Structure formats: C-alpha cells, structure tokens
Amino acid sequence: MRRALALARRSPAGDPNPQVGCVLLDPDARIVAEGWHRGAGTAHAETDALGRLPDGWRGRERELTAVVTLEPCNHTGRTGPCARALIEAGIGAVAYALDDPGRVSRGGAESLRAAGVEVASGLLADEAEDLLAPWLSVQEKPHRQWTVVKWAQTLDGRAAAADGSSRWITGPHARADVHRRRAEADAILVGTGTLLADDPELTARAADGAPLVPPAEQPLPVVLGRRAIPSESRVRRHPALREHGLEAPLRFDGNDLAAHVEELRRRGLQRLFVEGGPTIASAFLAAGLADEVLVYVAPALLGGPRLALGDLGIPSMEGIMRLEGAVVERLGEDLLVRARIPRIAGIGGE
C-alpha cells in the first residue's frame, strides 16, 4: 500500500479527480504491475495497472491482488467504473485504504464482493487520508476549496520587526519548501498590505529564480483588500494570468471571506494557499475557512508588537483551537509545524 501511495503522489495534485495509485501483487506479494491516475479523462489507476500487466500473467488474473489507495469507483464518467474493470479482468482480491465518499462513485466494494472478489479495506487509511485530504475536503464541502494558511515567525511569535521589516525571518531551506508548496496550489492569496510592502511575485520558483512549474500550473494570484495594485507591481506580470485569460490578479474587497472563497471554488480552484500576513491569516482562521496551517519557525527573537497572529475571537481557554495531526519538520536551521484545523472548531463558521 505504501508503494501505491507513492504512485498516487505522481497524480496531479490540483486535478478534479483524486490522486490514486494501484499495484497488482502475485501470490508471493511481489509487484507484477502498477499504475496511477494521470488526470481527468485519463485511465484510472486500476485500469492503468491492468494495462501494464505482463503477458505472462494474462489469463492468470484470478491469482492477483489489486492494492489501491481509494475504493475502486462504481460509476461511469469520462472513463468506465474501475470496479467493473477489475471484475472483468478476473482479479481475485482487492485491498484498498479509504472508502470513496462520492454519492455517485462509491459502492465499488459492494460490486466487487457481489462478483465474488475478496475485498479488504482500511489498510493504511490514515496515510491515504493525509494524501487525499484536499480532495476529500472538497467532496465534503463543495462550496469551498482546501485552504492552507502559511506564515513565518520567530520563536517568540513575531512576524516582523517593530519597523515592519520581515525579510528574511527564515532561511533558504524554509523558503524553498514554501515555493514547493506553492507549486501544489491552484491559487495564492495575499492582502494589499503584503503586496504593497513586499511587491511579491507570488510564483513557485527554484532558488535560482527558475519556475518550478510551467505557467499554466503556477498558482493563480488573488489579492484581498481595497487599495489599488500599482501598475508596476510584479504580480501584474504573473505568468498564470494569461493562461487563465486574465489581465490582472483576481480581486476581492475582503468584506465577505466566505463568499470570496466560494467564488474561487466556482472558478474550479481546489487548493488555496494563503500568505496574506497576520491580518488575513487571523481572519481566515477566525472565520473557520482554513483547513491546515503551515508555520515556519526560526530560532530567533524579535520582541515588539508585530505578532504573527491577531485576534481569533477566542475569549477564554475554553475556546482554544487545538490543532490535529501536528507534524514537525527540520528545514535547515528552521522548523516547519504542519497541522490540521479540526473539522468542528470552537470558532468560525463551519
């Protein structure tokens, strides 16, 4: 299953379809074929793996076990149902990690069992859920996308010095990690304060400035706030604008965050990366519109008033927002703390 999960990570992260991997095992648990989903309209992972089966195993499919990261789908969309493909191929057993939550696509396990296929579920479910969290979130909350709120801070919780300067709190390893995560997002959001202070490019780049992904895969820039974007701002030359038929970044005034993210979802965006500074980070968290936080912590002290987060609307310890599944990574001299927002939070709107 871990090999199937590794294959699933090759699937496009921002695609409407889930990232899925599949391996076919012989009776001695050796991999004889493997596949993954390459995006909407292409073969699903199970079909891809079946298509790569060596000639020596054709006609012997009953001896094989398919190990899949998500329950084989049970509906016909751009491609046929994966459960039916496995049944028609004669696969003897199927093990999968997560049940498919889709109202139309679920039920593949039942179809497999009805056809006499041995089925097991729940294998490494936590790891599969971690991989598929953005896609699962969109299935659960179709009105908005998976939203990651990121900030950098000193050990004493400051996002900037007293004079407002903030470059650079963290080192090159942490900044490289940010760009890698930007490349996985459909859109990147900042406020006009950050835009005017830092003139960011809002692109996913390597250390030498080269793009990490082509223009069509760069995160679409989104600006929150009423102040004008200067004509010379670098974000006006963002490579994704032309790919989306836009002449300028998407703009929202910030009066109704829930409506703004719903509009982004209507545009087909599934992953939003928020880098808007303390005011916007706090607003997304307080409104219950964040799913995950990425906090880059530098072993440094600044003191002063420039806190990384502002008021979250939590009056007492009874309302504390305790995060889930926290993971700590070392990035050079800095630390990354990654954690999920509970689905039912003590504050906010969901």
Side-chain angles (χ1 to χ4, degrees):
M1 182 61 80
R2 286 206 170 90
R3 176 57 182 168
L5 287 166
L7 293 169
R9 290 185 176 89
R10 299 182 184 181
S11 301
D15 194 76
N17 289 350
Q19 296 171 279
V20 181
C22 174
V23 297
L24 300 179
L25 302 180
D26 71 10
D28 295 318
R30 294 175 298 199
I31 295 175
V32 297
E34 55 188 30
W36 66 93
H37 182 50
R38 290 165 173 77
T42 67
H44 287 192
E46 298 93 324
T47 306
D48 187 42
L50 289 170
R52 298 170 184 273
L53 195 62
D55 290 340
W57 281 99
R58 298 193 183 277
R60 300 171 57 193
E61 287 88 350
R62 181 60 60 181
E63 302 174 46
L64 301 178
T65 297
V67 179
V68 196
T69 54
L70 185 67
E71 178 186 10
C73 67
N74 203 40
H75 80 298
T76 300
R78 295 186 186 182
T79 60
C82 297
R84 176 53 51 187
L86 292 167
I87 292 168
E88 292 178 352
I91 293 296
V94 174
Y96 66 89
L98 287 179
D99 291 330
D100 190 327
R103 181 178 57 83
V104 176
S105 56
R106 65 190 176 196
E110 294 178 13
S111 296
L112 289 163
R113 289 190 181 100
V117 179
E118 183 181 352
V119 178
S121 63
L123 183 62
L124 297 185
D126 289 346
E127 294 183 32
E129 185 172 6
D130 185 64
L131 170 67
L132 290 173
W135 180 80
L136 292 169
S137 176
V138 171
Q139 310 313 301
E140 181 181 310
K141 296 173 287 192
H143 59 287
R144 73 172 179 87
Q145 58 287 119
W146 177 262
T147 300
V148 176
V149 177
K150 165 264 175 184
W151 69 85
Q153 65 173 59
T154 57
L155 198 59
D156 58 344
R158 267 59 182 181
D163 64 0
S165 59
S166 60
R167 291 189 173 182
W168 294 101
I169 286 177
T170 54
H173 296 284
R175 296 198 295 274
D177 188 76
V178 171
H179 281 272
R180 181 178 65 80
R181 296 178 188 276
R182 282 183 178 184
E184 297 174 349
D186 297 321
I188 180 169
L189 183 148
V190 298
T192 50
T194 297
L195 190 76
L196 295 173
D198 298 339
D199 190 22
E201 292 184 41
L202 301 186
T203 55
R205 307 182 306 278
D208 61 1
L212 287 178
V213 291
E217 297 176 24
Q218 288 284 342
L220 187 65
V222 181
V223 179
L224 204 63
R226 295 187 181 89
R227 287 182 285 181
I229 301 176
S231 58
E232 66 277 10
S233 293
R234 291 191 290 182
V235 72
R236 288 189 175 275
R237 302 187 297 276
H238 195 286
L241 295 178
R242 179 178 295 181
E243 300 294 329
H244 289 268
L246 299 172
E247 295 182 357
L250 295 177
R251 290 296 307 272
F252 297 102
D253 60 19
N255 279 343
D256 190 339
L257 285 182
H260 300 338
V261 297
E262 189 170 347
E263 172 60 25
L264 293 175
R265 183 71 191 101
R266 280 197 294 268
R267 288 176 171 267
L269 304 180
Q270 291 200 98
R271 298 178 181 226
L272 178 63
F273 197 70
V274 177
E275 283 199 61
T279 300
I280 288 179
S282 303
F284 269 86
L285 289 167
L289 295 173
D291 298 290
E292 185 177 37
V293 296
L294 298 175
V295 185
Y296 295 87
V297 183
L301 304 173
L302 272 173
R306 304 276 186 167
L307 293 173
L309 283 182
D311 183 19
L312 295 180
I314 302 174
S316 69
M317 284 299 295
E318 291 183 357
I320 189 171
M321 182 190 292
R322 296 198 181 276
L323 307 184
E324 298 177 341
V327 176
V328 180
E329 300 177 35
R330 184 74 177 264
L331 299 170
E333 294 298 316
D334 305 312
L335 297 177
L336 167 62
V337 180
R338 180 168 59 93
R340 301 270 177 81
I341 308 297
R343 292 185 179 180
I344 302 177
I347 59 176
E350 295 197 53

